[in-house]
Amino acid sequence: MNKTIIKMLSGIFLKLVKIPSPSGKEKRVAEFISAFLHQRGFDILVDQSGKKNASNTGNVIATLSGKGEKLLFAAHMDTVQLEDEIVKPTFDGVTFKSDGSSILGADNKASVAVLLTIAAVVSLEKKGRHDLRFVFTTREESGLMGSEFLDIKKLNPSMIFNVDGSSSIGTIDYSSLGHLSFLIEIEGKAAHAAIEPESGIHALTVATKLYTSLKMGKNKDGSTFNIGYIRGGENTNVIMPNLVMKGEIRAYTESTLKKMWSGVENLSSQVEKETGSKIKLKKGKLIPPFTGSKKSKIVALTKKSIVSNNIKFNLQAAPYTSDSSYLAQAAIPTITICKGGKHAHTNKESITLKEMYSLFKIIHHLCYHNNQ
Ligand SMILES: [Zn+2]
């Protein structure tokens, strides 16, 4: 491993994780990124969308002109850390971790650190570099809001590389899951639990009927269904009158998402009739699946960058949802490059310096592909 690159990678990464950036509060880290890239000759623009619900999109868009193709590399700036949580990173020369009291934030600051290191290196190398656009998105973890409101067509890249994804280094995602959240409100009927329980409609009985008929977990096609939240009732002497459940559906095609949702609708009206209850369904935002092709040019190109660096190549349909869902909406070739790391979104999260260095080599190779 090149000593200068390693020093830069770890130095930038440690600085980044110490700057809090929970979803929606990315401003400080955005300022750090903007200043860093501005000093390296990038043009900086902080994205503001006029669209409804886009409040302060805040994506950082940095461009550095080159020759050849317009390559866009994206990484989200936010983490799942709590509002007042300060990350105290540790590094033993091999692995980065937190002190155990918080997440580390390698998801996705490892990718941000790699892109900033790339920027520092390529800004000094004038020959043969492609035209670069680095986009740092906001609010990925809270529903991909930054990428949703990004005007990709205006940036007009020829290819999009989303640097994220927690699978091992060398893995690229050609597709990933779409997402539909929902809320179910059950209205039963209150009654005294001892005097006349038979005249009540127990909301939990209704919920149980619904729950046991819906297939939880993973299906053969990789789609999933889950109810992850349930609240109901107040007093032990009352037949539970109300109950709320929240859940999500994920699938690789929009038609599967819609089909699974209409299954919930049909079953609910059936259970309503059977129990005499009222079931209100509220559909949340539908995040479209990312549907790329296994055999695209962008897959072949990235594979070349991975293999030529002696890294094991792996191609997958990702079992998660990422910014690629929206980045790919303009029908420009898109893939997700995975960053490695372990136990993302937990206090045990870790990443090795070697993983970051490998990611650096893959992306650096892409910045010059076919131009040398
Ligand atoms: Zn992420």
Side-chain angles (χ1 to χ4, degrees):
M1 296 197 276
N2 177 308
K3 269 192 190 159
T4 318
I5 305 288
I6 280 181
K7 222 178 140 195
M8 224 190 285
L9 273 173
S10 55
I12 295 170
F13 179 66
L14 288 169
K15 270 187 197 155
L16 282 169
V17 294
K18 286 180 197 162
I19 306 172
S21 63
S23 279
K25 308 257 171 176
E26 299 88 350
K27 205 169 171 225
R28 278 183 60 200
V29 86
E31 282 167 359
F32 176 88
I33 293 168
S34 302
F36 186 98
L37 292 172
H38 181 68
Q39 279 168 22
R40 271 98 190 153
F42 278 71
D43 285 327
I44 309 291
L45 191 103
V46 178
D47 188 24
Q48 297 280 338
S49 169
K51 282 187 191 155
K52 213 183 143 203
N53 299 330
S55 57
N56 289 328
T57 313
N59 300 312
V60 175
I61 301 163
T63 50
L64 185 68
S65 60
K67 64 168 193 180
E69 296 183 60
K70 286 181 186 170
L71 309 180
L72 188 153
F73 293 91
H76 66 88
M77 297 184 279
D78 60 319
T79 69
V80 293
Q81 74 191 122
L82 305 171
E83 226 120 306
D84 50 2
E85 206 166 62
I86 303 289
V87 175
K88 296 178 204 85
T90 66
F91 181 54
D92 61 6
V94 178
T95 310
F96 295 93
K97 288 181 187 164
S98 76
D99 65 351
S101 67
S102 71
I103 57 150
L104 172 63
D107 176 14
N108 197 21
K109 284 172 177 164
S111 306
V112 176
V114 168
L115 289 182
L116 295 188
T117 307
I118 295 269
V121 172
V122 302
S123 61
L124 302 172
E125 304 167 334
K126 289 223 163 60
K127 271 187 199 159
R129 177 189 5 95
H130 287 281
D131 199 272
L132 302 179
R133 279 146 176 66
F134 287 179
V135 176
F136 300 91
T137 61
T138 57
R139 296 187 290 172
E140 191 268 354
E141 302 285 6
S142 58
L144 319 184
M145 312 278 283
S147 57
E148 181 181 358
F149 294 103
L150 180 73
D151 192 347
I152 289 279
K153 278 196 184 137
K154 207 167 142 194
L155 296 173
N156 192 30
S158 51
M159 281 184 267
I160 300 168
F161 304 88
N162 180 29
V163 192
D164 193 6
S166 299
S167 296
S168 59
I169 286 287
T171 302
I172 59 178
D173 304 336
Y174 68 91
S175 79
S176 56
L177 293 165
H179 183 279
L180 175 67
S181 59
F182 59 82
L183 184 129
I184 302 175
E185 284 175 353
I186 296 172
E187 197 186 316
K189 194 176 157 201
H192 194 290
I195 301 170
E196 45 160 15
E198 65 287 350
S199 70
I201 300 171
H202 206 297
L204 185 58
T205 309
V206 180
T208 308
K209 272 201 172 212
L210 207 57
Y211 179 85
T212 46
S213 308
L214 290 163
K215 194 177 167 280
M216 298 286 149
K218 194 176 275 195
N219 299 307
K220 266 191 189 150
D221 63 358
S223 61
T224 60
F225 188 96
N226 184 49
I227 285 176
Y229 173 103
I230 179 163
R231 292 286 180 280
E234 265 168 38
N235 295 309
T236 58
N237 59 355
V238 183
I239 296 296
M240 191 190 290
N242 295 296
L243 186 147
V244 175
M245 297 197 281
K246 290 182 198 172
E248 60 162 45
I249 301 171
R250 298 201 197 208
Y252 289 106
T253 67
E254 203 161 320
S255 63
T256 309
L257 279 180
K258 287 181 175 160
K259 209 173 114 194
M260 287 169 80
W261 176 247
S262 66
V264 177
E265 286 177 326
N266 293 340
L267 191 70
S268 296
S269 51
Q270 203 181 309
V271 172
E272 248 184 348
K273 275 182 209 142
E274 282 170 27
T275 57
S277 63
K278 276 194 189 133
I279 303 177
K280 238 196 246 168
L281 299 177
K282 284 185 192 162
K283 200 161 58 160
K285 188 170 99 172
L286 189 148
I287 295 172
F290 160 44
T291 53
S293 154
K294 259 183 178 179
K295 289 183 180 144
S296 58
K297 189 186 145 211
I298 190 169
V299 166
L301 189 76
T302 314
K303 181 180 176 180
K304 209 170 146 194
S305 291
I306 292 168
V307 174
S308 68
N309 280 299
N310 295 319
I311 299 163
K312 196 172 160 248
F313 172 71
N314 179 35
L315 182 63
Q316 70 172 7
Y320 42 74
T321 306
S322 78
D323 270 345
S324 296
S325 278
Y326 287 114
L327 295 173
Q329 286 298 305
I332 293 161
T334 302
I335 54 154
T336 305
I337 302 180
C338 293
K339 67 177 174 302
K342 277 189 186 144
H343 310 299
H345 296 194
T346 76
N347 291 1
K348 283 187 183 161
E349 185 185 12
S350 69
I351 196 158
T352 63
L353 183 56
K354 196 178 166 216
E355 287 173 299
M356 280 200 261
Y357 187 67
S358 298
L359 188 60
F360 170 88
K361 287 198 294 183
I362 295 166
I363 295 173
H364 187 262
H365 191 272
L366 281 169
C367 292
Y368 291 86
H369 76 90
N370 298 338
N371 257 6
Q372 279 152 330

